[in-house]
């Protein structure tokens, strides 16, 4: 028996040596590739954590990267052994296509969630306007984002709907401009009205001095002279300043005799004289 084995080895010595070398190289490729996969996935994970991406998402993405690289390395190692990998690639491709078709909507939401987390057009706590919804971002998940509206309703929006349209982030900048349009009667004192508006703006400590507020005539409309008031405030003070300024304008104008007109039509009747 032993002699037969030795005889077989002697006859096929070249093939055995070649196979052993290829097997050794394949094993080396696999181990080096596995180390590379670990290194790349770890590097990507650290980069995402540095950008304050959620740890659960980082772990998931790192695992996907590791598995993809490891599969590619295994195919390269098998190919080096002389094994035809075309069939394996075809099977993997078909399986991937089937899964992608079955989970098309979910994959779209997942991809959009990754984009939101990586590029960060908004973060938890921001006031935004997306997909026709205005609210505060409460949580960003892989497949959906949770918003809380001003009347305390929770809205769950698929991530693909968010990235597919315009995103307005009201909290992105520290300061915002309050734009008001005030109409006064043509019979009212324009200079006095502008001075009153300047006094109202100057008295509100929440309104920033730099940039300076702008008060000017914006239009001579059909029934009113329109004045614009543009003031800069901290983003957190926007709505309260907006409401308080409108209230102060109405109270001050009433007290000082500045009329705020409403649309009206004057009808003039002419009586024809009989001959």
């Amino acid at each position: 028996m032993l002699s037969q084995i030795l005889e077989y080895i002697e006859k096929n010595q070249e093939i055995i040596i070649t196979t052993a070398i290829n097997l050794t190289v394949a094993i080396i490729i696999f181990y080096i590739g596995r180390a590379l996969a670990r290194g790349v996935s770890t590097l990507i994970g650290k980069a995402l954590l540095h950008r304050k991406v959620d740890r659960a998402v980082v772990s998931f993405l790192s695992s996907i990267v590791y598995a993809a690289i490891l599969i590619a390395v295994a195919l390269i190692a098998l190919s080096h052994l002389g094994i035809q990998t075309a069939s394996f690639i075809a099977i993997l491709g078909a399986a991937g296509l089937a899964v992608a078709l079955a989970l098309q909507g979910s994959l779209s939401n997942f991809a959009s969630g990754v984009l939101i987390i990586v590029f960060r057009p908004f973060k938890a706590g921001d006031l935004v306007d997306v997909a026709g919804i205005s609210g505060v971002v409460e949580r960003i998940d892989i497949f959906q984002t949770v918003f809380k509206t001003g009347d305390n309703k929770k809205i769950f929006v698929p991530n693909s709907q968010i990235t597919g349209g315009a995103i307005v982030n009201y909290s992105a900048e520290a300061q915002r401009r309050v734009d008001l349009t005030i109409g006064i009667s043509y019979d009212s004192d324009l200079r006095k009205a502008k001075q009153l508006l300047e006094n109202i703006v100057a008295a509100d400590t929440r309104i920033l001095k730099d940039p300076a507020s702008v008060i000017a005539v914006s239009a001579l409309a059909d029934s009113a002279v329109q004045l614009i008031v543009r003031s800069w405030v901290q983003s957190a003070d926007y709505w309260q300043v907006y409401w308080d300024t409108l209230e102060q304008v109405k109270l001050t104008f009433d007290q000082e005799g500045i009329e705020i007109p409403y649309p009206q039509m004057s009808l003039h009747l002419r009586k024809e004289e009989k001959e």
Side-chain angles (χ1 to χ4, degrees), residues 194-233:
K194 290 182 66 176
Q195 185 60 54
L196 291 173
L197 291 175
E198 291 175 1
N199 295 341
I200 292 172
V201 169
D204 195 331
T205 57
R206 296 167 298 180
I207 295 178
L208 303 177
K209 305 302 180 184
D210 185 22
S213 298
V214 175
I215 299 173
V217 177
S218 63
L220 301 177
D222 292 337
S223 58
V225 177
Q226 292 185 354
L227 301 173
I228 56 170
V229 180
R230 293 179 175 176
S231 303
W232 289 88
V233 299

Side-chain angles (χ1 to χ4, degrees), residues 52-236:
K52 303 186 184 305
V53 178
D54 186 80
R55 288 186 175 273
V57 178
V58 172
S59 177
F60 183 74
L61 292 177
S62 298
S63 299
I64 289 178
V65 171
Y66 176 78
I69 296 177
L70 195 60
I71 290 173
V73 168
L75 290 175
I76 293 173
L78 291 174
S79 176
H80 194 78
L81 287 174
I83 299 174
Q84 295 296 325
T85 57
S87 57
F88 290 100
I89 296 174
I91 292 172
L92 288 174
L97 179 60
V99 172
L101 291 175
L103 302 175
Q104 185 175 4
S106 298
L107 290 176
S108 175
N109 289 327
F110 169 76
S112 298
V114 171
L115 291 176
I116 292 172
I117 293 171
V118 172
F119 293 104
R120 300 176 67 83
F122 53 77
K123 63 182 183 300
D126 284 354
L127 175 63
V128 298
D129 189 351
V130 296
I133 297 170
S134 293
V136 176
V137 180
E138 189 173 85
R139 190 173 71 253
I140 304 172
D141 294 332
I142 294 177
F143 297 103
Q144 62 188 7
T145 300
V146 183
F147 298 91
K148 181 178 286 187
T149 62
D151 54 353
N152 208 31
K153 291 186 297 187
K154 281 189 177 182
I155 301 179
F156 300 81
V157 181
N159 289 329
S160 59
Q161 293 187 15
I162 296 174
T163 56
I167 301 174
V168 181
N169 190 338
Y170 297 107
S171 305
E173 301 294 337
Q175 299 173 357
R176 290 182 62 189
R177 192 179 71 187
V178 179
D179 292 351
L180 299 175
T181 301
I182 311 296
I184 65 171
S185 170
Y186 275 93
D187 296 330
S188 298
D189 189 334
L190 176 60
R191 293 188 178 87
K192 182 179 179 180
K194 290 182 66 176
Q195 185 60 54
L196 291 173
L197 291 175
E198 291 175 1
N199 295 341
I200 292 172
V201 169
D204 195 331
T205 57
R206 296 167 298 180
I207 295 178
L208 303 177
K209 305 302 180 184
D210 185 22
S213 298
V214 175
I215 299 173
V217 177
S218 63
L220 301 177
D222 292 337
S223 58
V225 177
Q226 292 185 354
L227 301 173
I228 56 170
V229 180
R230 293 179 175 176
S231 303
W232 289 88
V233 299
Q234 297 297 329
S235 296

